Amino acid sequence: MREYLLMASVAAVVTYLLVPLVRVFALRIGAAPEIRERDVHTVRTPRLGGLAMYAGMLAGLFVASRLDHIGEKLADPRMGDGHTVIALALAGGVIVVIGFLDDWWGMDAFVKLGGQIAAAGLLVAFKLTLLWIPLPNGQTVSLDNTLTTIITIMVVVVAINAVNFVDGLDGLAAGIVCIAAMATFAWTVALTDSLDQGRLSITAAITAILIGMCLGFLPHNFHPAKIFMGDTGAMLIGLVLATSVVTVTGTVDYNGAAGDINRFPVVLPILLPLAVMVLPLADLIMAVVRRTSYGKSPFAPDRGHLHHRLLQVGHSHRRTVLIMYAWTFLFAATVVGLSVGGVPLIVFPVVVLLALAVLVMMGLPLWRSGRGGRGGGVHATRRGPAPDAGPAAEDPSVPGTAGASHVTATSG
């Protein structure tokens, strides 16, 4: 466990120390939105915080590769032909370049989608892919090359955009992804330990580094934010989280052990990411349905997100973020706790459905008011550089609203 703590600490320290330098750089090149009358913040706030997070990731990966036991795991040829570090660094580099250009100049949503697919394709090229899909009966289904490629790219692109969607308030995306990474880390360590495979694994190493990246950035990003992570950071942490999911099938070996553990944890390699990211995924789905029902593009930004709903009912910026932290933490902890406790499999879909029902109820009032034309309506698509999903804009009808969502391939 000390090795995980060292990797997370290095990633956190490097990220934390580089953010002020990145902030100065972003202001000098003009990578910050102009202050508008409806804006909540009173100074130009840069959007390139993801550059510091990428540096933190590289530092964490470098240290991990130099540690004896973790280094051996990362060089395991069963996953990525032993090139996990290189694959993640290159894929992250592609995402950072795409995000940087979008945060600085603005970029068409479909061009950005192409960049996301290219980053996922790099992971596939290095054979950092899902190798099999677990079944509820404890068995697994191996994937052929075509299915492996398609499913891996889908997982990566959906995760990237789900994180980008939820990046609407100061500290929101970094906090939720950090909680998701902690849940994935805890489950992976518990499961590999129960299978007598030790506590060291590729998945746990990647999530430890991701936790460090988020914790190092949050002090600069929590309300009032000094810097936004921008698409540069939101897409990067989405990619790293997706990579941790992909590597599970090469990390956990169920051969000969599936009959000795409860079936619930066996299927979690695929279900856990959906569980810990149910909030951003549900927000994404509801946004697409809401916008298309108006006859608008699913890419068009609006103020119908869950965090906008919480702001509308009177919660402050910080309280809204903390509420969403608490909801994500309780749900993720419940899912991981249930898996470790060995409850029946049927409990998992019941918990997920109940959580989704709560989310839908939270979003319906604003959606209905939007249909009536009084709030939550879909705004016209922005032109030019898309503002970051930080506290960039204020809806006059919503006291305290901040953080007009930005446009990505499927983002709001």
Side-chain angles (χ1 to χ4, degrees):
M1 297 298 289
R2 287 179 296 180
E3 294 188 346
Y4 291 136
L5 181 60
L6 176 60
M7 290 183 292
S9 298
V10 168
V13 170
V14 171
T15 300
Y16 179 81
L17 293 178
L18 287 182
V19 167
L21 298 178
V22 170
R23 185 178 186 278
V24 172
F25 168 72
L27 288 173
R28 286 186 176 179
I29 67 172
E34 295 291 341
I35 303 299
R36 297 164 297 183
E37 184 177 351
R38 69 175 187 270
D39 287 340
V40 174
H41 56 288
T42 57
V43 296
R44 295 180 60 194
T45 307
R47 305 188 280 249
L48 297 176
L51 294 178
M53 301 178 83
Y54 181 60
M57 184 194 80
L58 293 179
L61 288 173
F62 176 79
V63 170
S65 66
R66 292 298 184 269
L67 296 175
D68 292 337
H69 302 296
I70 288 292
E72 291 177 3
K73 292 290 184 181
L74 291 171
D76 190 339
R78 291 180 301 173
M79 177 53 61
D81 281 344
H83 301 301
T84 300
V85 172
I86 296 176
L88 185 53
L90 291 178
V94 170
I95 284 294
V96 167
V97 170
I98 296 296
F100 173 81
L101 294 176
D102 183 58
D103 289 332
W104 189 13
W105 291 332
M107 183 177 293
D108 181 80
F110 288 102
V111 174
K112 198 183 311 182
L113 176 62
Q116 296 168 2
I117 294 174
L122 268 175
L123 297 180
V124 172
F126 277 91
K127 299 183 180 178
L128 205 63
T129 60
L130 288 168
L131 303 178
W132 44 262
I133 295 178
L135 298 177
N137 62 5
Q139 303 300 313
T140 60
V141 174
S142 298
L143 302 174
D144 59 30
N145 290 335
T146 301
L147 284 177
T148 291
T149 299
I150 293 174
I151 294 177
T152 299
I153 291 176
M154 286 180 60
V155 168
V156 173
V157 171
V158 169
I160 288 173
N161 284 285
V163 173
N164 219 358
F165 247 65
V166 81
D167 185 22
L169 297 176
D170 292 355
L172 184 58
I176 286 180
V177 170
C178 186
I179 294 169
M182 288 177 177
T184 305
F185 175 85
W187 169 79
T188 304
V189 170
L191 184 57
T192 54
D193 189 51
S194 71
L195 295 176
D196 295 326
Q197 296 173 15
R199 295 184 174 183
L200 300 179
S201 67
I202 296 175
T203 301
I206 293 175
T207 52
I209 293 171
L210 179 57
I211 291 168
M213 294 163 59
C214 294
L215 291 179
F217 184 69
L218 273 172
H220 300 282
N221 185 237
F222 204 72
H223 186 71
K226 300 179 182 66
I227 188 171
F228 305 148
M229 69 171 65
D231 280 6
T232 309
M235 294 197 298
L236 176 64
I237 59 178
L239 172 75
V240 178
L241 185 61
T243 304
S244 71
V245 174
V246 167
T247 57
V248 168
T249 56
T251 294
V252 181
D253 183 8
Y254 290 113
N255 292 332
D260 300 328
I261 60 177
N262 184 272
R263 291 178 180 178
F264 187 12
V266 173
V267 299
L268 277 186
I270 303 300
L271 298 182
L272 181 62
L274 298 178
V276 297
M277 294 187 66
V278 67
L279 190 151
L281 288 173
D283 198 18
L284 185 154
I285 293 170
M286 287 191 292
V288 171
V289 172
R290 180 177 65 249
R291 293 164 185 173
T292 54
S293 69
Y294 298 149
K296 302 289 185 178
S297 166
F299 307 144
D302 63 16
R303 301 189 194 280
H305 293 288
L306 295 174
H307 49 269
H308 291 138
R309 171 58 184 159
L310 290 173
L311 288 167
Q312 187 185 46
V313 298
H315 293 294
S316 67
H317 191 122
R318 287 193 176 192
R319 185 182 299 172
T320 296
V321 172
L322 292 175
I323 287 173
M324 297 184 77
Y325 281 1
W327 193 97
T328 304
F329 176 80
L330 289 174
F331 185 63
T334 299
V335 170
V336 174
L338 290 175
S339 70
V340 174
V343 300
L345 178 62
I346 188 62
V347 174
F348 182 84
V350 170
V351 172
V352 172
L353 289 176
L354 287 175
L356 288 174
V358 172
L359 286 173
V360 170
M361 294 302 295
M362 288 171 63
L364 279 179
L366 186 60
W367 190 359
R368 288 171 179 168
S369 65
R371 283 183 172 277
R374 291 187 174 88
V378 178
H379 290 203
T381 303
R382 301 181 183 93
R383 297 185 181 276
D388 176 78
E394 179 178 8
D395 186 345
S397 65
V398 183
T401 300
S405 301
H406 54 288
V407 181
T408 66
T410 57
S411 130

